[in-house]
Structure formats: C-alpha cells, structure tokens
Amino acid sequence: MRLGALTGGGESAVVTGFAIDHRKVAPGTIFGAFQGARVNGEDFIPAAVKAGAVAIVARPEVVVEGALHIADDNPREAFAALAAKFFAPFPGTAVAVTGTNGKTSTVEMTRQLWRMAGYHAASIGTLGVTTSDESVSTGLTTPDVVTFLSNVAGLAREGVTHVAFEASSHGLSQYRTEGLPVRAAAFTNLSRDHLDYHGDMAAYFHAKLRLFADVLAADGTAVVWADDPNSPRVEELARARGNRLITVGEHGETLRLVGRDPSLLGQKLTIEAGGSTYQVMLPLIGAYQAANALTAAGLVIATGGDVAATIANLARLQPVRGRLERAVITKSGAPVYVDYAHTPDALEAAIAALKPHTQGRLILMFGAGGDRDTGKREPMGRAAAAGADVVIVSDDNPRSEDPAAIRAEVLKGAPDAIEIGGRREAIAAAIAMAEAGDIVLLAGKGHEQGQIVGDRILPFDDVGVARECAA
C-alpha cells in the first residue's frame, strides 16, 4: 500500500514497538495518532514524542515536531501495515468471521474442527484468545490493532498454525484487523445492531463488507451463509474480486442443508455436498447453531479440510460459552439456558431454538444495554412478547443511563411483561416459577462476568447466578 511522505526526525532510529495510547509509548515506539469518536489521538503527539516515540503515523496536515512524520490520508491503515511487518510472522492459516450474530460461535467451532483434524488452532474474539488448553480474555470482540497483531504473533511463536478471529463492524471500520493475511472470510447474517456507532444500516453493512473488499486475500475464499437476505451482496462482491466462493445453508451450493430434525439433546442434519449426502448428529440445539456449525465447516473446507471428515466431526462439537449454554436444571426439572442474544433477531433465533424442546412454557428474562442503540429496545420487547410465554424485563448493562428508563423503552414492545429491575432477582423469579416441562432462557449477557452500572463493573455471571438460584 502507499505510504505518504516521511518528514522530519531520524529515519535510522531503531523501532522497539507500536502504540496507539500515548501512555504506552517507550523509547523507539511508533505512535499512531488517530481521530476517534471521543478522543483525538493527534492531541497527544507532543506527549508521545516526549516519551520517546521515534515516528508518528498521522494525517498529512498534522504538525509533528521531534519525530519522523509518517503521513497518510488513512493513518489507521498505514499504521496497521507497518505494525504487521514488525510483529510478523503469524500463523500460516488465518480466517475471519463477520456478521451481526454467530461470530463467536463460528470462530470457536472452526477452532474445534481444526483441532479435530490435528492442527494446533486458536480463536480470537468476544471470549478472548482460546487455544486447546487456555483462554485469555482481551475484553473486546476485536481488540486494538497492536493487541491483535501481537496476540496473533504470540500464537505463532507458541506453535499455532491455524487461527480464526471475529471481525466486528467497529474493528473493520477502525482497521483493527489489517495486516494479517486472511485466507478465508465468512459472513453469517445481518440485522440491526450498533447503529449508535454507524448511524444507519447501510453504513453498518458497508463496514462489514470491508472484510471481503479489503481484508480477504485476493486469492482467498469467501464463505457465505446463503439463507440471509443480505448474502447475495456478499456473494456478488466475492465474484467481482475473483475470490473462490463457498455457500452453505438451505440455499447453499457447497454445503446444502436439506434436513434438520431436532431431538432432545441436539439435531440430526442432512447435508448435500459434492454430489453426496451426509447425515450427522449435531450435539447442539437450535437452527442458528446449525448455521454456525455449517459456516465453520465451510471455513475449514476452504482452508484445505476434507469434506467428509469435516462434516463427520460436527458430531463432536462442544457448546460455546454463553451461547445457548445450559446452566442448570431446576429442582422442578426445567432446564435453564444462558444466551448472549442482545438484538431483536438474536432473541427471535434463541426463542426459535428452544421452542421445539419446550413441552410447557418458555420463560424469558432479558434486558437492553445502556449507551447503545436505543432504537432496538422496543423491537426486542416485541420479539420477546411474540415468542415467549412469560417475559421478564430486567436490567442488562445500564452503563450511564437510568435503568428504569431503559426498561420502560423495552416494555413498550412487551406491555404485558413482568418488570423486575434487579437482574439477580429477575433470574430468581424466572427459576422459581419454572415447572416441569418449562424452559428458562436468560438472554443478553451470555459469557459476561460483570454488569456495567455507571462507571463500575460489578461481578455478575448469569450462569453462576442461575446455579445459585436453583440450588
């Protein structure tokens, strides 16, 4: 890629690291000074130079004194390209997954399938950095580019050869996943989310399309869940770039899902691939779990996996933390599931996943996050009211907003719901009312270990609380 003019400073300086936070600058650091939504990194250039930065990556019009100015109209992209050269080498096979829902499950299932095939694999995303023997939280779906590239390089040093990572819309728009060669990229689905950041659905979708337009290698493979209304646009982009295309799902051509029969503990999938028909028992419930598993299989096949062996290995997949995770069975015999669903579509999918297994009532407890897209709150209430038999509206992560005001917006879509502000009390109420044949769904926070109230993070784990309340 083109880098702008190099001006000032000493071009022979030894580079010791990269930083986008001036407080992390040490002698020899290259500092990325970017304009952000809340903070302008350009304001901290003098502090970075004083701390020992040898070069500043910034827009051409920015004044830099005392260090080399690497000027570029897109400083985030330029910084990522330089940082990648510094941190390399990386694992030989890297794939990325984008979409509103399913990213976390898909990258983790991809890791599991690679491991079953004998590779030393890892996944990076909302759950942290996960390998076969450890998980280290990063705190963001897509961490900053320095953390991301250093983590991936560290995995390579540990012998990891295959890595799957989540590519969020925020991460893609802020160039947090640049520089790493991506052999395959997957699209899961698109529904309303993060409009507080992107403004509208067109901008949100455009950010996700960057994975296929700019990040995926020119000779890479696009893996597309073909049953989403937005999938044809992704397929069109892949064809225009000359990428190999793998489509999966009921409308897929590579892995066509021709049958899905739910059972008590999973679902039997019938899949057509390459002229052959395969049947496999997926030990996970829900249509969207089948979608995630097939998308993961597509990524493995895209990177050289055997079709028959990969499909057979779906029978050995393990549940992903906080994704329709069965937390406990109540004394009355009702199972309690925890799921990360925090959009209207995700709620609908989680409800649809559990409905076939419910003999009695589906009891749903959920809330909406503060300081996030307010427009999805009432639709979340409508989705809950339409699908669940009993709805309890509680708090999620209120952040700086008034929790009662958030609940009121959700209740506009579910006026007959029960309102219980305290999340622990709401979970206890849901479990207490559950009878034999019922299913309890605790939605919104999934794997999260804390509740954000104001500027504090209070320890809170839906799974742990559910077990305590059911004891």
Side-chain angles (χ1 to χ4, degrees), residues 6 9 36 73 87 125 157 179 184 195 200 222 252 260 279 318 325 384 428 445 468:
L6 306 181
D73 292 331
F87 286 108
R157 290 192 296 272
L195 297 195
D200 57 39
R260 191 179 66 83
Q279 288 191 335
Q318 298 296 310
E325 178 183 1
K445 291 177 61 58
E468 292 171 8

Side-chain angles (χ1 to χ4, degrees), residues 134-292:
E134 67 177 333
S135 178
V136 180
S137 177
T138 59
L140 288 173
T141 302
T142 313
D144 68 81
V145 65
V146 175
T147 303
F148 175 74
L149 291 173
S150 62
N151 280 344
V152 178
L155 291 171
R157 290 192 296 272
E158 294 171 9
V160 170
T161 60
H162 290 60
V163 62
F165 65 91
E166 297 181 47
S168 69
S169 57
H170 288 74
L172 287 164
S173 67
Q174 295 172 12
Y175 295 83
R176 295 188 210 154
T177 57
E178 309 300 300
L180 175 68
V182 175
R183 287 185 54 188
F187 173 77
T188 59
N189 51 64
L190 187 79
S191 61
R192 179 178 183 136
D193 202 9
H194 302 307
L195 297 195
D196 54 311
Y197 177 82
H198 296 286
D200 57 39
M201 287 297 294
Y204 177 46
F205 192 24
H206 179 73
K208 291 193 174 296
L209 288 175
R210 275 209 66 246
L211 177 60
F212 302 91
D214 302 329
V215 179
L216 176 62
D219 60 350
T221 302
V223 178
V224 181
W225 175 253
D227 297 342
D228 188 87
N230 298 283
S231 297
R233 177 70 185 91
V234 184
E235 296 174 23
E236 176 186 319
L237 177 57
R239 291 190 182 98
R241 290 192 73 212
N243 292 120
R244 179 188 175 201
L245 181 62
I246 287 179
T247 57
V248 302
E250 292 182 8
H251 296 91
E253 295 183 358
T254 312
L255 298 177
R256 184 183 298 277
L257 180 61
V258 296
R260 191 179 66 83
D261 301 310
S263 67
L264 184 61
L265 298 176
Q267 49 195 318
K268 184 174 72 174
L269 306 182
T270 303
I271 303 163
E272 289 183 355
S276 299
T277 300
Y278 304 87
Q279 288 191 335
V280 62
M281 190 66 194
L282 181 69
L284 308 169
I285 64 173
Y288 75 84
Q289 297 276 47
N292 297 334

Side-chain angles (χ1 to χ4, degrees), residues 86-172:
F86 177 81
F87 286 108
F90 305 112
T93 299
V95 304
V97 180
T98 198
T100 303
N101 301 307
K103 296 185 296 295
T104 300
S105 293
T106 301
V107 298
E108 172 55 13
M109 290 177 183
T110 301
R111 182 193 70 81
Q112 291 186 33
L113 291 171
W114 274 333
R115 185 196 63 206
M116 294 175 206
Y119 297 111
H120 192 179
S123 62
I124 301 176
T126 304
L127 297 181
V129 181
T130 306
T131 63
S132 58
D133 55 3
E134 67 177 333
S135 178
V136 180
S137 177
T138 59
L140 288 173
T141 302
T142 313
D144 68 81
V145 65
V146 175
T147 303
F148 175 74
L149 291 173
S150 62
N151 280 344
V152 178
L155 291 171
R157 290 192 296 272
E158 294 171 9
V160 170
T161 60
H162 290 60
V163 62
F165 65 91
E166 297 181 47
S168 69
S169 57
H170 288 74
L172 287 164

Side-chain angles (χ1 to χ4, degrees), residues 277-322:
T277 300
Y278 304 87
Q279 288 191 335
V280 62
M281 190 66 194
L282 181 69
L284 308 169
I285 64 173
Y288 75 84
Q289 297 276 47
N292 297 334
L294 284 180
T295 304
L299 285 169
V300 172
I301 292 167
T303 52
D306 178 78
V307 173
T310 301
I311 293 174
N313 283 337
L314 295 177
R316 299 165 54 198
L317 286 174
Q318 298 296 310
V320 178
R321 180 82 165 92

